[in-house]
Coordinates of all heavy atoms in Angstrom, one line a residue:
M1 N -7.9 -9.9 -13.5 CA -8.3 -10.1 -12.2 C -7.1 -9.8 -11.2 O -7.2 -9.3 -10.1 CB -9.0 -11.5 -12.0 CG -9.5 -11.6 -10.6 SD -10.6 -10.4 -10.1 CE -12.1 -11.2 -10.3
S2 N -5.9 -10.4 -11.6 CA -4.7 -10.2 -10.8 C -4.4 -8.7 -10.5 O -3.9 -8.4 -9.4 CB -3.5 -10.8 -11.5 OG -3.7 -12.2 -11.5
W3 N -4.6 -7.8 -11.5 CA -4.3 -6.4 -11.2 C -5.2 -5.8 -10.2 O -4.9 -5.1 -9.4 CB -4.4 -5.7 -12.5 CG -3.3 -6.0 -13.5 CD1 -3.3 -6.8 -14.6 CD2 -1.9 -5.6 -13.4 NE1 -2.1 -6.9 -15.2 CE2 -1.2 -6.2 -14.5 CE3 -1.2 -4.9 -12.4 CZ2 0.2 -6.0 -14.6 CZ3 0.1 -4.8 -12.6 CH2 0.8 -5.3 -13.7
L4 N -6.5 -6.3 -10.3 CA -7.5 -5.8 -9.3 C -7.1 -6.3 -7.9 O -7.2 -5.5 -6.9 CB -8.9 -6.3 -9.6 CG -10.0 -5.9 -8.7 CD1 -10.1 -4.3 -8.6 CD2 -11.3 -6.5 -9.1
I5 N -6.7 -7.5 -7.8 CA -6.3 -8.1 -6.5 C -5.1 -7.3 -5.9 O -5.0 -7.0 -4.8 CB -6.0 -9.6 -6.7 CG1 -7.3 -10.3 -6.9 CG2 -5.3 -10.1 -5.4 CD1 -7.2 -11.8 -7.3
L6 N -4.2 -7.1 -6.8 CA -3.0 -6.3 -6.6 C -3.3 -4.9 -6.0 O -2.7 -4.4 -5.0 CB -1.9 -6.2 -7.6 CG -0.6 -5.5 -7.4 CD1 0.1 -6.2 -6.3 CD2 0.2 -5.5 -8.6
L7 N -4.3 -4.2 -6.7 CA -4.7 -2.9 -6.3 C -5.3 -3.0 -4.8 O -5.0 -2.2 -4.0 CB -5.7 -2.3 -7.2 CG -6.3 -1.0 -6.8 CD1 -5.4 0.1 -6.8 CD2 -7.6 -0.7 -7.7
I8 N -6.1 -4.0 -4.6 CA -6.7 -4.1 -3.3 C -5.6 -4.4 -2.1 O -5.7 -3.8 -1.1 CB -7.8 -5.2 -3.3 CG1 -8.9 -4.8 -4.2 CG2 -8.3 -5.5 -1.9 CD1 -10.0 -5.8 -4.5
A9 N -4.7 -5.2 -2.6 CA -3.5 -5.5 -1.6 C -2.8 -4.3 -1.4 O -2.4 -4.0 -0.1 CB -2.6 -6.5 -2.3
G10 N -2.6 -3.3 -2.3 CA -1.8 -2.2 -2.1 C -2.6 -1.2 -1.2 O -2.1 -0.5 -0.4
L11 N -4.0 -1.1 -1.4 CA -4.8 -0.3 -0.6 C -4.8 -0.7 0.9 O -4.8 0.1 1.8 CB -6.2 -0.2 -1.2 CG -6.3 0.5 -2.5 CD1 -7.8 0.4 -3.1 CD2 -5.9 2.0 -2.5
L12 N -4.8 -2.1 1.0 CA -4.7 -2.6 2.4 C -3.4 -2.2 3.0 O -3.3 -2.1 4.3 CB -5.0 -4.2 2.4 CG -6.5 -4.5 2.2 CD1 -6.6 -6.0 1.9 CD2 -7.3 -4.1 3.4
E13 N -2.3 -2.2 2.2 CA -1.0 -1.7 2.8 C -1.1 -0.4 3.3 O -0.6 -0.1 4.3 CB 0.1 -1.9 1.7 CG 1.4 -1.6 2.3 CD 2.6 -1.6 1.3 OE1 2.3 -1.8 0.1 OE2 3.7 -1.5 1.7
V14 N -1.9 0.5 2.6 CA -2.1 1.9 3.1 C -2.8 1.9 4.5 O -2.4 2.5 5.4 CB -2.9 2.7 2.2 CG1 -3.2 4.1 2.8 CG2 -2.1 2.8 0.8
V15 N -3.8 1.0 4.6 CA -4.6 0.8 5.8 C -3.7 0.4 7.0 O -3.7 1.0 8.1 CB -5.7 -0.2 5.7 CG1 -6.3 -0.5 7.0 CG2 -6.8 0.3 4.7
W16 N -2.8 -0.6 6.8 CA -2.0 -1.0 7.9 C -0.8 0.0 8.1 O -0.5 0.2 9.3 CB -1.5 -2.5 7.8 CG -0.5 -2.9 6.8 CD1 -0.8 -3.6 5.6 CD2 0.8 -2.6 6.8 NE1 0.4 -3.7 4.9 CE2 1.4 -3.3 5.6 CE3 1.8 -2.1 7.7 CZ2 2.8 -3.3 5.4 CZ3 3.1 -2.2 7.5 CH2 3.6 -2.7 6.2
A17 N -0.4 0.7 7.1 CA 0.7 1.6 7.4 C 0.2 2.8 8.2 O 0.8 3.2 9.2 CB 1.3 2.2 6.1
I18 N -1.0 3.3 7.9 CA -1.6 4.4 8.7 C -2.1 3.8 10.0 O -1.9 4.5 11.2 CB -2.8 5.0 7.9 CG1 -2.2 5.7 6.7 CG2 -3.5 5.9 8.8 CD1 -1.2 6.9 7.0
G19 N -2.6 2.6 10.0 CA -3.0 2.0 11.3 C -1.9 1.8 12.4 O -2.2 2.0 13.5
L20 N -0.7 1.7 11.9 CA 0.5 1.5 12.9 C 0.5 2.8 13.7 O 0.9 2.7 14.9 CB 1.8 1.4 12.1 CG 2.0 0.0 11.5 CD1 3.2 0.0 10.6 CD2 2.2 -1.0 12.6
K21 N 0.2 3.9 13.1 CA 0.3 5.2 13.8 C -0.8 5.1 15.0 O -0.5 5.6 16.2 CB -0.1 6.3 13.0 CG 0.0 7.7 13.6 CD 1.4 8.2 13.7 CE 1.5 9.7 14.1 NZ 2.8 10.0 14.4
Y22 N -1.9 4.6 14.7 CA -3.0 4.5 15.8 C -2.9 3.4 16.8 O -3.6 3.4 17.8 CB -4.4 4.5 15.1 CG -4.6 5.7 14.3 CD1 -4.4 5.8 12.9 CD2 -5.1 6.8 14.9 CE1 -4.7 7.0 12.1 CE2 -5.4 8.1 14.2 CZ -5.1 8.1 12.9 OH -5.4 9.3 12.1
T23 N -2.0 2.5 16.6 CA -1.9 1.3 17.5 C -1.1 1.8 18.7 O -1.2 1.1 19.8 CB -1.2 0.2 16.9 OG1 0.3 0.5 16.7 CG2 -1.8 -0.4 15.7
H24 N -0.3 2.9 18.6 CA 0.6 3.4 19.7 C 1.4 2.2 20.2 O 1.4 1.9 21.4 CB -0.3 4.0 20.9 CG -0.9 5.3 20.5 ND1 -1.5 6.1 21.4 CD2 -1.2 5.8 19.3 CE1 -2.0 7.2 20.8 NE2 -1.8 7.0 19.5
G25 N 2.2 1.7 19.3 CA 3.1 0.6 19.7 C 2.4 -0.8 20.0 O 2.8 -1.5 20.8
F26 N 1.2 -0.9 19.3 CA 0.4 -2.1 19.5 C -0.1 -2.2 21.0 O -0.3 -3.3 21.6 CB 1.1 -3.4 19.1 CG 1.2 -3.5 17.6 CD1 2.4 -3.3 17.0 CD2 0.2 -3.9 16.9 CE1 2.6 -3.4 15.6 CE2 0.3 -4.1 15.4 CZ 1.5 -3.7 14.9
S27 N -0.3 -1.0 21.6 CA -0.8 -1.0 23.0 C -2.3 -0.8 23.0 O -3.0 -0.8 24.1 CB -0.1 0.1 23.7 OG -0.3 1.4 23.3
R28 N -2.9 -0.4 21.8 CA -4.4 -0.2 21.7 C -5.0 -1.4 21.0 O -4.7 -1.7 19.8 CB -4.7 1.1 21.1 CG -4.1 2.3 21.9 CD -4.2 3.6 21.3 NE -5.6 3.9 21.2 CZ -6.1 4.8 20.2 NH1 -5.3 5.3 19.3 NH2 -7.4 4.9 20.1
L29 N -6.0 -2.1 21.5 CA -6.5 -3.3 21.0 C -7.2 -3.2 19.7 O -6.7 -3.8 18.7 CB -7.5 -4.0 22.0 CG -8.1 -5.3 21.5 CD1 -7.0 -6.3 21.4 CD2 -9.1 -5.7 22.5
V30 N -8.1 -2.3 19.5 CA -9.0 -2.3 18.2 C -8.0 -1.8 17.1 O -8.0 -2.5 16.0 CB -10.2 -1.4 18.4 CG1 -10.9 -1.2 17.1 CG2 -11.1 -2.0 19.4
P31 N -7.3 -0.7 17.2 CA -6.4 -0.3 16.1 C -5.3 -1.4 15.8 O -5.1 -1.7 14.6 CB -5.8 1.0 16.5 CG -6.7 1.5 17.6 CD -7.3 0.3 18.2
S32 N -4.9 -2.1 16.8 CA -3.9 -3.2 16.6 C -4.5 -4.4 15.8 O -3.9 -4.9 14.9 CB -3.4 -3.7 18.0 OG -2.7 -2.7 18.5
L33 N -5.8 -4.7 16.2 CA -6.4 -5.8 15.4 C -6.8 -5.5 13.9 O -6.6 -6.2 13.1 CB -7.8 -6.2 16.2 CG -7.6 -6.9 17.5 CD1 -9.0 -7.1 18.1 CD2 -6.8 -8.2 17.4
I34 N -7.2 -4.2 13.7 CA -7.4 -3.7 12.4 C -6.1 -3.7 11.6 O -6.1 -4.2 10.4 CB -8.1 -2.3 12.4 CG1 -9.5 -2.4 12.9 CG2 -8.0 -1.7 11.0 CD1 -10.1 -1.1 13.3
T35 N -5.1 -3.3 12.2 CA -3.8 -3.2 11.5 C -3.2 -4.5 11.2 O -2.8 -4.8 10.1 CB -2.8 -2.4 12.4 OG1 -3.2 -1.1 12.6 CG2 -1.4 -2.3 11.7
L36 N -3.3 -5.5 12.1 CA -2.8 -6.9 11.9 C -3.6 -7.6 10.8 O -3.0 -8.3 10.0 CB -2.8 -7.6 13.2 CG -1.7 -7.2 14.2 CD1 -1.9 -7.9 15.6 CD2 -0.3 -7.5 13.6
T37 N -5.0 -7.3 10.9 CA -5.8 -8.0 9.8 C -5.5 -7.4 8.5 O -5.4 -8.2 7.5 CB -7.3 -7.7 10.2 OG1 -7.5 -8.3 11.4 CG2 -8.2 -8.3 9.2
A38 N -5.3 -6.1 8.4 CA -4.9 -5.5 7.0 C -3.6 -6.0 6.6 O -3.4 -6.3 5.4 CB -5.0 -4.0 7.1
M39 N -2.6 -6.2 7.5 CA -1.3 -6.7 7.1 C -1.4 -8.1 6.5 O -0.9 -8.3 5.4 CB -0.4 -6.7 8.3 CG 0.2 -5.5 8.8 SD 1.1 -5.8 10.3 CE 1.9 -4.2 10.6
V40 N -2.1 -9.0 7.2 CA -2.2 -10.4 6.7 C -2.9 -10.4 5.3 O -2.5 -11.0 4.4 CB -2.9 -11.2 7.8 CG1 -3.3 -12.6 7.2 CG2 -2.0 -11.4 9.0
A41 N -4.1 -9.6 5.3 CA -4.9 -9.7 4.1 C -4.1 -9.1 3.0 O -4.2 -9.6 1.8 CB -6.2 -8.9 4.2
S42 N -3.3 -8.1 3.2 CA -2.6 -7.4 2.1 C -1.5 -8.4 1.5 O -1.3 -8.5 0.3 CB -1.8 -6.1 2.6 OG -1.1 -5.5 1.7
V43 N -0.8 -9.1 2.4 CA 0.3 -10.0 1.9 C -0.4 -11.2 1.2 O 0.1 -11.7 0.3 CB 1.2 -10.4 3.1 CG1 2.1 -11.6 2.7 CG2 1.9 -9.3 3.6
V44 N -1.5 -11.8 1.8 CA -2.2 -12.9 1.2 C -2.6 -12.5 -0.2 O -2.4 -13.2 -1.3 CB -3.3 -13.4 2.0 CG1 -4.3 -14.3 1.2 CG2 -2.9 -14.0 3.3
L45 N -3.2 -11.3 -0.4 CA -3.7 -10.8 -1.7 C -2.5 -10.6 -2.7 O -2.6 -10.9 -3.9 CB -4.6 -9.6 -1.6 CG -5.9 -9.8 -1.0 CD1 -6.6 -8.4 -0.8 CD2 -6.7 -10.7 -1.8
L46 N -1.4 -10.1 -2.2 CA -0.2 -9.9 -2.9 C 0.3 -11.3 -3.5 O 0.6 -11.4 -4.7 CB 0.9 -9.3 -2.2 CG 2.3 -9.2 -2.8 CD1 2.2 -8.4 -4.1 CD2 3.3 -8.7 -1.8
S47 N 0.3 -12.3 -2.6 CA 0.7 -13.6 -3.1 C -0.3 -14.2 -4.1 O 0.2 -14.9 -5.0 CB 0.9 -14.6 -1.8 OG -0.4 -14.9 -1.4
W48 N -1.5 -14.0 -4.0 CA -2.4 -14.4 -5.0 C -2.2 -13.7 -6.4 O -2.2 -14.4 -7.4 CB -3.9 -14.1 -4.6 CG -4.3 -15.0 -3.5 CD1 -3.7 -16.2 -3.0 CD2 -5.6 -15.0 -2.9 NE1 -4.5 -16.7 -2.1 CE2 -5.7 -16.0 -1.9 CE3 -6.7 -14.1 -2.9 CZ2 -6.7 -16.2 -1.0 CZ3 -7.8 -14.3 -2.0 CH2 -7.8 -15.3 -1.2
A49 N -1.9 -12.4 -6.3 CA -1.6 -11.6 -7.5 C -0.4 -12.2 -8.2 O -0.3 -12.2 -9.4 CB -1.5 -10.2 -7.2
M50 N 0.6 -12.6 -7.4 CA 1.9 -13.0 -8.0 C 1.8 -14.4 -8.6 O 2.7 -14.9 -9.3 CB 2.9 -13.1 -6.9 CG 3.5 -11.8 -6.4 SD 4.8 -12.0 -5.2 CE 5.3 -10.3 -5.0
K51 N 0.6 -15.1 -8.5 CA 0.5 -16.3 -9.3 C 0.5 -16.0 -10.8 O 1.0 -16.9 -11.5 CB -0.9 -16.9 -9.0 CG -1.0 -17.6 -7.5 CD -2.4 -18.2 -7.4 CE -2.5 -18.8 -6.0 NZ -3.9 -19.3 -5.8
S52 N 0.2 -14.9 -11.2 CA 0.1 -14.6 -12.7 C 0.9 -13.4 -13.1 O 1.0 -13.2 -14.2 CB -1.2 -14.6 -13.2 OG -2.0 -13.6 -12.6
L53 N 1.3 -12.6 -12.1 CA 2.1 -11.4 -12.4 C 3.6 -11.6 -12.0 O 3.9 -12.4 -11.1 CB 1.6 -10.2 -11.6 CG 0.1 -9.8 -11.9 CD1 -0.2 -8.6 -10.9 CD2 0.0 -9.4 -13.3
P54 N 4.5 -11.0 -12.8 CA 5.9 -11.1 -12.4 C 6.2 -10.6 -11.0 O 5.7 -9.5 -10.6 CB 6.6 -10.2 -13.5 CG 5.6 -9.9 -14.6 CD 4.3 -10.1 -13.9
V55 N 7.0 -11.2 -10.3 CA 7.2 -10.9 -8.9 C 7.8 -9.5 -8.7 O 7.4 -8.7 -7.8 CB 8.2 -12.0 -8.2 CG1 9.6 -11.9 -8.8 CG2 8.2 -11.7 -6.7
G56 N 8.7 -9.1 -9.5 CA 9.3 -7.8 -9.4 C 8.3 -6.7 -9.7 O 8.2 -5.6 -9.0
T57 N 7.5 -6.9 -10.7 CA 6.4 -5.9 -11.1 C 5.4 -5.8 -9.9 O 5.1 -4.7 -9.4 CB 5.8 -6.3 -12.3 OG1 6.9 -6.3 -13.4 CG2 4.8 -5.2 -12.7
A58 N 4.9 -7.0 -9.5 CA 3.8 -7.0 -8.5 C 4.4 -6.4 -7.2 O 3.6 -5.6 -6.6 CB 3.4 -8.4 -8.3
Y59 N 5.5 -6.8 -6.8 CA 6.0 -6.2 -5.5 C 6.3 -4.8 -5.6 O 6.0 -4.0 -4.6 CB 7.3 -7.0 -5.1 CG 7.8 -6.5 -3.7 CD1 7.1 -7.0 -2.6 CD2 8.9 -5.7 -3.6 CE1 7.6 -6.6 -1.4 CE2 9.3 -5.3 -2.3 CZ 8.7 -5.7 -1.3 OH 9.1 -5.3 0.1
A60 N 6.9 -4.3 -6.7 CA 7.1 -2.8 -6.8 C 5.8 -2.0 -6.9 O 5.7 -1.0 -6.2 CB 8.0 -2.6 -8.1
I61 N 4.8 -2.5 -7.5 CA 3.5 -1.8 -7.6 C 2.9 -1.8 -6.2 O 2.3 -0.8 -5.8 CB 2.6 -2.4 -8.7 CG1 3.2 -2.0 -10.0 CG2 1.3 -1.9 -8.6 CD1 2.5 -2.6 -11.3
W62 N 2.9 -3.0 -5.6 CA 2.3 -3.0 -4.3 C 2.9 -2.1 -3.2 O 2.3 -1.4 -2.6 CB 2.5 -4.5 -3.7 CG 2.0 -4.7 -2.4 CD1 0.7 -4.9 -1.9 CD2 2.8 -5.2 -1.2 NE1 0.7 -5.3 -0.6 CE2 1.9 -5.5 -0.1 CE3 4.1 -5.3 -0.9 CZ2 2.4 -5.8 1.1 CZ3 4.5 -5.6 0.2 CH2 3.7 -5.9 1.3
T63 N 4.2 -2.0 -3.3 CA 4.9 -1.1 -2.4 C 4.7 0.3 -2.8 O 4.6 1.3 -2.0 CB 6.5 -1.3 -2.2 OG1 7.0 -1.4 -3.5 CG2 6.7 -2.7 -1.6
G64 N 4.6 0.6 -4.1 CA 4.4 1.9 -4.6 C 3.1 2.4 -4.2 O 2.9 3.6 -3.7
I65 N 2.0 1.6 -4.4 CA 0.6 1.9 -3.9 C 0.7 2.3 -2.4 O 0.1 3.3 -2.0 CB -0.4 0.9 -4.3 CG1 -0.6 0.7 -5.8 CG2 -1.7 1.2 -3.6 CD1 -1.4 -0.5 -6.2
G66 N 1.3 1.4 -1.7 CA 1.4 1.6 -0.3 C 2.2 2.9 0.1 O 1.7 3.7 1.0
A67 N 3.3 3.2 -0.5 CA 4.1 4.4 -0.2 C 3.3 5.6 -0.6 O 3.3 6.6 0.2 CB 5.4 4.3 -0.9
V68 N 2.8 5.7 -1.7 CA 2.1 6.9 -2.2 C 0.8 7.0 -1.3 O 0.5 8.2 -1.0 CB 1.7 6.8 -3.7 CG1 0.8 7.8 -4.1 CG2 3.1 6.9 -4.5
G69 N 0.1 6.0 -1.2 CA -1.2 6.0 -0.4 C -0.9 6.5 1.0 O -1.7 7.3 1.5
A70 N 0.1 5.9 1.6 CA 0.4 6.3 3.1 C 0.9 7.8 3.1 O 0.5 8.5 4.0 CB 1.4 5.3 3.6
A71 N 1.6 8.2 2.2 CA 2.1 9.6 2.2 C 0.9 10.5 2.0 O 0.7 11.6 2.7 CB 3.1 9.8 1.1
I72 N -0.1 10.2 1.1 CA -1.2 11.1 0.8 C -2.1 11.0 2.1 O -2.6 12.0 2.6 CB -2.0 10.7 -0.4 CG1 -1.2 11.0 -1.7 CG2 -3.3 11.3 -0.5 CD1 -1.6 10.5 -3.0
A73 N -2.3 9.8 2.6 CA -3.2 9.7 3.8 C -2.5 10.4 5.0 O -3.3 11.1 5.8 CB -3.4 8.2 4.2
G74 N -1.2 10.4 5.1 CA -0.6 11.1 6.1 C -0.8 12.7 6.0 O -1.0 13.4 7.0
M75 N -0.8 13.2 4.7 CA -1.0 14.6 4.5 C -2.5 14.9 4.9 O -2.7 15.9 5.5 CB -0.8 14.9 3.1 CG 0.6 14.9 2.6 SD 0.7 15.1 0.8 CE 2.3 14.2 0.5
V76 N -3.4 14.1 4.5 CA -4.9 14.4 4.6 C -5.3 14.1 6.1 O -6.0 15.0 6.7 CB -5.7 13.6 3.7 CG1 -7.2 13.7 4.0 CG2 -5.5 13.9 2.3
L77 N -4.9 13.0 6.6 CA -5.4 12.6 8.0 C -4.5 13.1 9.2 O -5.0 13.4 10.3 CB -5.5 11.1 8.1 CG -6.4 10.4 7.1 CD1 -6.2 8.9 7.2 CD2 -7.8 10.8 7.4
L78 N -3.2 13.3 8.9 CA -2.3 13.6 10.0 C -1.6 15.0 9.9 O -0.8 15.3 10.7 CB -1.2 12.5 10.1 CG -1.7 11.1 10.3 CD1 -0.7 10.0 10.1 CD2 -2.5 10.9 11.6
G79 N -2.0 15.7 8.9 CA -1.5 17.1 8.7 C 0.0 17.1 8.3 O 0.7 18.1 8.5
E80 N 0.5 16.1 7.7 CA 1.9 16.1 7.3 C 2.1 17.0 6.1 O 1.1 17.3 5.4 CB 2.3 14.6 6.9 CG 2.3 13.7 8.1 CD 2.6 12.3 7.8 OE1 2.9 12.0 6.5 OE2 2.6 11.4 8.7
S81 N 3.3 17.3 5.8 CA 3.7 18.3 4.8 C 3.2 17.9 3.4 O 3.4 16.8 3.1 CB 5.2 18.6 4.9 OG 5.6 19.3 3.7
A82 N 2.7 18.9 2.7 CA 2.3 18.6 1.3 C 3.1 19.6 0.5 O 2.6 20.3 -0.5 CB 0.8 18.8 1.0
S83 N 4.4 19.7 0.6 CA 5.3 20.6 -0.1 C 5.4 20.2 -1.6 O 5.2 19.0 -1.9 CB 6.7 20.6 0.5 OG 7.3 19.4 0.3
P84 N 5.6 21.1 -2.4 CA 5.8 20.9 -3.9 C 6.8 19.8 -4.1 O 6.5 18.9 -5.0 CB 6.2 22.2 -4.5 CG 5.6 23.2 -3.6 CD 5.7 22.6 -2.1
A85 N 7.9 19.7 -3.5 CA 8.9 18.7 -3.6 C 8.3 17.4 -3.2 O 8.6 16.4 -4.0 CB 10.2 19.1 -2.8
R86 N 7.6 17.3 -2.2 CA 7.0 16.1 -1.8 C 6.0 15.5 -2.8 O 6.0 14.3 -3.2 CB 6.4 16.2 -0.4 CG 6.3 15.0 0.5 CD 6.1 15.3 1.9 NE 6.1 14.0 2.5 CZ 5.2 13.7 3.4 NH1 4.4 14.5 3.8 NH2 5.3 12.5 3.9
L87 N 5.1 16.4 -3.3 CA 4.2 16.0 -4.3 C 4.8 15.7 -5.6 O 4.4 14.6 -6.2 CB 3.1 17.2 -4.5 CG 2.4 17.6 -3.2 CD1 1.4 18.8 -3.5 CD2 1.4 16.4 -2.9
L88 N 5.8 16.3 -6.0 CA 6.6 16.0 -7.2 C 7.1 14.5 -7.0 O 7.1 13.8 -7.9 CB 7.7 17.0 -7.5 CG 8.6 16.6 -8.7 CD1 7.8 16.6 -10.0 CD2 9.7 17.6 -8.8
S89 N 7.8 14.2 -5.9 CA 8.3 13.0 -5.7 C 7.3 11.8 -5.7 O 7.5 10.8 -6.3 CB 9.1 12.9 -4.3 OG 10.1 13.9 -4.3
L90 N 6.1 12.1 -5.1 CA 5.0 11.2 -5.3 C 4.6 11.0 -6.7 O 4.3 9.8 -7.1 CB 3.8 11.6 -4.4 CG 4.0 11.6 -2.8 CD1 2.9 12.2 -2.2 CD2 4.3 10.1 -2.4
G91 N 4.5 12.0 -7.4 CA 4.3 11.9 -8.9 C 5.2 11.1 -9.6 O 4.9 10.3 -10.5
L92 N 6.5 11.1 -9.3 CA 7.5 10.3 -9.9 C 7.3 8.8 -9.6 O 7.4 7.9 -10.4 CB 8.9 10.8 -9.5 CG 9.3 12.1 -10.0 CD1 10.6 12.6 -9.3 CD2 9.5 12.0 -11.5
I93 N 6.8 8.5 -8.3 CA 6.6 7.1 -7.9 C 5.4 6.7 -8.7 O 5.4 5.5 -9.3 CB 6.3 7.1 -6.4 CG1 7.6 7.4 -5.6 CG2 5.8 5.6 -6.1 CD1 7.3 7.4 -4.2
I94 N 4.4 7.5 -8.9 CA 3.2 7.1 -9.6 C 3.5 6.8 -11.1 O 3.1 5.9 -11.7 CB 2.1 8.2 -9.6 CG1 1.5 8.2 -8.1 CG2 1.0 7.9 -10.5 CD1 0.6 9.4 -7.8
A95 N 4.4 7.7 -11.7 CA 4.9 7.5 -13.0 C 5.6 6.1 -13.2 O 5.4 5.4 -14.2 CB 5.8 8.6 -13.5
G96 N 6.4 5.8 -12.2 CA 7.0 4.5 -12.2 C 6.1 3.3 -12.1 O 6.2 2.3 -12.8
I97 N 5.0 3.4 -11.3 CA 4.0 2.4 -11.2 C 3.3 2.2 -12.5 O 3.2 1.1 -13.0 CB 3.0 2.8 -10.0 CG1 3.6 2.7 -8.7 CG2 1.8 1.9 -10.1 CD1 2.8 3.2 -7.6
I98 N 2.9 3.3 -13.1 CA 2.3 3.3 -14.5 C 3.2 2.6 -15.5 O 2.8 1.8 -16.2 CB 1.8 4.7 -14.9 CG1 0.7 5.1 -14.0 CG2 1.4 4.6 -16.3 CD1 0.3 6.6 -14.1
G99 N 4.5 3.0 -15.4 CA 5.5 2.4 -16.4 C 5.6 1.0 -16.3 O 5.6 0.2 -17.2
L100 N 5.6 0.5 -15.0 CA 5.8 -1.0 -14.7 C 4.5 -1.7 -15.2 O 4.6 -2.8 -15.8 CB 5.8 -1.2 -13.2 CG 7.3 -1.0 -12.7 CD1 7.2 -1.0 -11.2 CD2 8.2 -2.0 -13.2
K101 N 3.3 -1.1 -15.0 CA 2.0 -1.7 -15.4 C 2.0 -1.9 -16.9 O 1.7 -2.8 -17.5 CB 0.9 -0.9 -14.9 CG -0.5 -1.2 -15.6 CD -1.0 -2.6 -15.3 CE -2.4 -2.7 -15.7 NZ -2.5 -3.5 -17.0
L102 N 2.4 -0.7 -17.7 CA 2.4 -0.7 -19.1 C 3.4 -1.6 -19.8 O 3.2 -2.1 -20.8 CB 2.6 0.7 -19.6 CG 1.4 1.7 -19.3 CD1 1.8 3.1 -19.7 CD2 0.0 1.2 -19.8
S103 N 4.4 -1.9 -19.1 CA 5.6 -2.7 -19.6 C 5.4 -4.2 -19.3 O 6.2 -5.0 -19.7 CB 6.9 -2.2 -19.2 OG 7.1 -2.4 -17.8
T104 N 4.4 -4.6 -18.6 CA 4.2 -6.0 -18.2 C 3.3 -6.7 -19.3 O 2.3 -6.2 -19.7 CB 3.5 -6.1 -16.8 OG1 4.3 -5.4 -15.9 CG2 3.3 -7.6 -16.4
H105 N 3.7 -7.8 -19.7 CA 3.0 -8.6 -20.8 C 1.8 -9.2 -20.2 O 1.9 -9.9 -19.3 CB 4.0 -9.6 -21.4 CG 5.2 -8.9 -22.0 ND1 6.2 -8.2 -21.4 CD2 5.5 -8.8 -23.4 CE1 7.0 -7.8 -22.1 NE2 6.7 -8.1 -23.4

């Protein structure tokens, strides 16, 4: 169950990372409220997952999901570059996340 909670926390990190773009410096109310809610929920879920997962593994996976997810969302939603070097780099992050998951007892 902790892994599922961690996955949801990571996905919420993607929501708030992309949401920051739409807040325009927290000057737009609805995007700001969505972003702040996602931030709080993401951190709360991360802390719940850390009750039974190693802190280093949980934090690295949480940030990895957020980084990869935000980069992919930026490519899809915002037209950011999807160059081969960028995609390869994201693949390396994903490999690291999988390695951390597989090496956790």
Side-chain angles (χ1 to χ4, degrees):
M1 184 55 102
S2 294
W3 290 107
L4 178 60
I5 291 170
L6 183 61
L7 174 64
I8 295 167
L11 293 174
L12 284 169
E13 186 182 4
V14 175
V15 170
W16 70 255
I18 294 299
L20 283 173
K21 181 79 169 175
Y22 293 99
T23 68
H24 292 195
F26 289 102
S27 64
R28 297 176 64 209
L29 181 61
V30 173
S32 296
L33 291 174
I34 292 169
T35 300
L36 290 169
T37 301
M39 284 177 172
V40 171
S42 180
V43 173
V44 167
L45 291 175
L46 172 63
S47 72
W48 287 353
M50 284 184 177
K51 288 180 181 180
S52 61
L53 297 175
V55 66
T57 299
Y59 185 75
I61 290 175
W62 178 70
T63 58
I65 292 169
V68 170
I72 291 171
M75 291 174 204
V76 173
L77 299 173
L78 305 171
E80 295 177 359
S81 169
S83 69
R86 208 160 178 226
L87 295 175
L88 174 64
S89 298
L90 291 173
L92 291 171
I93 295 170
I94 292 168
I97 291 169
I98 292 169
L100 285 169
K101 165 67 170 100
L102 294 175
S103 67
T104 301
H105 298 66

